């Protein structure tokens, strides 16, 4: 996101395999699609941080940088000489962002964190799935992605603060913190009532009907977020009698009698197709829609009108397409200026900018301080 908005992002990678997502399936022309998804608008510098000269290179970059982002285990960069105190000593205005699983304080600060583990630990999986089914992982890597957005917002806030005061600062973006925060009304409801939230499938704990329903040929989603929408739904379905049913009079009544309300509507909806019910319910002015598969989303007219699937020519994947940026700024829109880099592709370029000549760069390569550059040819 920072790169999309114009930042010169230098990605520090170890020299042999680089970012581990380079090797994750599926592949597109032998390039890992996980890596292709997240690494546009970055330059790659491959260095062996076990070598002091490599640490000096990174510290020199940090001395000139606005922002440094790291996701090492707690204490690892301190031992290398690249912790916050060391970087701040050469650049007092640095914005130093540490991404971690559980945060840099507390009894679990030393533990590694992964999206799946935090989905479980944070309660997200326990609230995802059918009531009588297993706890489920959310389909997207929601924890990782949300944490990245937390970091982005925090970095921009810190840059704004520095612009006003001249002061840099350390930032934390912890996977667990983000998911506890997004638990929101589930946590507040439990604190208020002592009643533990339960899995509701696609349903909502506070609203009915607000979930997926089966039609004769698939499923669609329906959301009655207030009493007015419920009344429109009943009239649109030509079932005004439901408005007189005391079990469904108010939203609170419908939540109390969730199974009965969902059962009545399910019987109605199974009599015709998804397309039919989406048309009928939309015509009534009630939010609803199909439950799209990935191919349908990629080809959707609205998605493409919003420029959310974009071409990104790549030296080894000339027909590469990826999801676009969700940031829509009228005067300073995001842009794609670089495809995801090859491992160490910009070693010479970056080191030359740091004042190294060709002979010095070659010596660093021979000593194993930097990796071999892959220029994509």
């Amino acid at each position: 996101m920072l790169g999309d908005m114009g930042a010169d992002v230098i990605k520090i990678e170890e020299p042999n395999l680089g970012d581990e997502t380079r090797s994750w399936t599926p592949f597109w022309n032998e390039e890992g699609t996980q890596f292709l998804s997240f690494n546009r608008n970055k330059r790659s510098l491959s260095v062996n941080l076990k070598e002091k000269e490599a640490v000096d290179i990174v510290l020199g970059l940090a001395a000139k940088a606005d922002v440094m982002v790291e996701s090492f285990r707690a204490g690892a960069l301190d031992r290398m000489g690249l912790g916050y105190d060391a970087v701040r000593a050469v650049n007092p205005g640095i914005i130093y962002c540490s991404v971690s699983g559980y945060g840099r304080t507390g009894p679990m600060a030393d533990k590694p964190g992964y999206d799946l583990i935090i989905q479980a630990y944070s309660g997200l999986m326990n609230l995802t799935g059918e009531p009588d089914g297993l706890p489920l992982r959310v389909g997207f890597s929601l924890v990782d992605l949300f944490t990245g957005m937390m970091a982005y917002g925090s970095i921009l806030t810190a840059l704004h603060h520095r612009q006003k005061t001249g002061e840099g600062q350390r930032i934390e973006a912890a996977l667990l913190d983000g998911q506890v925060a997004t638990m929101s009304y589930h946590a507040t409801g439990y604190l208020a009532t002592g009643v533990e939230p339960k899995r509701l499938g696609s349903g909502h704990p506070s609203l009915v009907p607000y979930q997926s329903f089966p039609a004769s040929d698939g499923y669609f989603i329906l959301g009655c977020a207030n009493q007015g929408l419920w009344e429109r739904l009943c009239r649109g379905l030509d079932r005004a009698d439901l408005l007189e049913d005391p079990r469904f009079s108010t939203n609170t009544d419908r939540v109390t009698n969730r199974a009965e309300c969902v059962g009545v509507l399910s019987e109605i909806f199974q009599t015709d197709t998804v397309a039919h019910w989406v048309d009928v319910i939309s015509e009534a002015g009630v939010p609803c829609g199909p439950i799209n598969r990935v191919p349908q989303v990629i080809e959707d007219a609205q998605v493409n009108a919003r420029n959310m699937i974009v071409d990104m020519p790549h030296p080894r994947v000339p027909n590469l397409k990826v999801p676009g940026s969700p940031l829509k700024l009228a005067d300073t829109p995001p842009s794609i200026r670089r495809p995801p880099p090859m491992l160490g592709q910009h070693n010479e370029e970056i080191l030359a900018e740091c004042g190294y000549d060709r002979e010095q760069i070659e010596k660093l390569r021979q000593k194993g301080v930097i990796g071999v550059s892959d220029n994509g040819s």
Side-chain angles (χ1 to χ4, degrees), residues 89-102:
V90 299
N91 184 352
I94 193 73
I95 308 302
Y96 188 105
C97 179
S98 295
V99 179
S100 64
Y102 299 90

Side-chain angles (χ1 to χ4, degrees), residues 341-359:
M342 302 301 171
L343 178 58
Q345 178 179 347
H346 304 96
N347 285 355
E348 287 80 4
E349 176 180 302
I350 294 168
L351 290 173
E353 292 171 4
C354 294
Y356 293 83
D357 60 31
R358 289 186 179 180
E359 183 178 347

Side-chain angles (χ1 to χ4, degrees), residues 216-282:
S216 63
D217 62 345
Y219 290 84
F220 69 97
I221 204 79
L222 165 65
C224 287
N226 57 53
Q227 186 65 17
L229 291 174
W230 166 249
E231 293 172 4
R232 290 182 189 177
L233 175 67
C234 294
R235 295 190 180 100
L237 297 177
D238 197 23
R239 288 297 304 270
D241 59 295
L242 296 177
L243 297 174
E244 307 302 323
D245 192 321
R247 298 174 298 172
F248 311 142
S249 294
T250 67
N251 181 66
T252 300
D253 294 326
R254 294 190 295 278
V255 171
T256 300
N257 298 289
R258 178 187 302 271
E260 292 87 344
C261 185
V262 170
V264 169
L265 292 175
S266 295
E267 288 184 8
I268 296 171
F269 295 142
Q270 289 180 68
T271 64
D272 218 317
T273 65
V274 167
H276 170 80
W277 291 119
V278 168
D279 286 345
V280 168
I281 297 168
S282 296

Side-chain angles (χ1 to χ4, degrees), residues 57-75:
I57 290 170
V58 175
L59 197 59
L61 289 169
K64 303 174 185 178
D66 292 300
V67 179
M68 179 171 172
V69 182
E70 62 88 12
S71 59
F72 281 78
R73 293 278 290 271

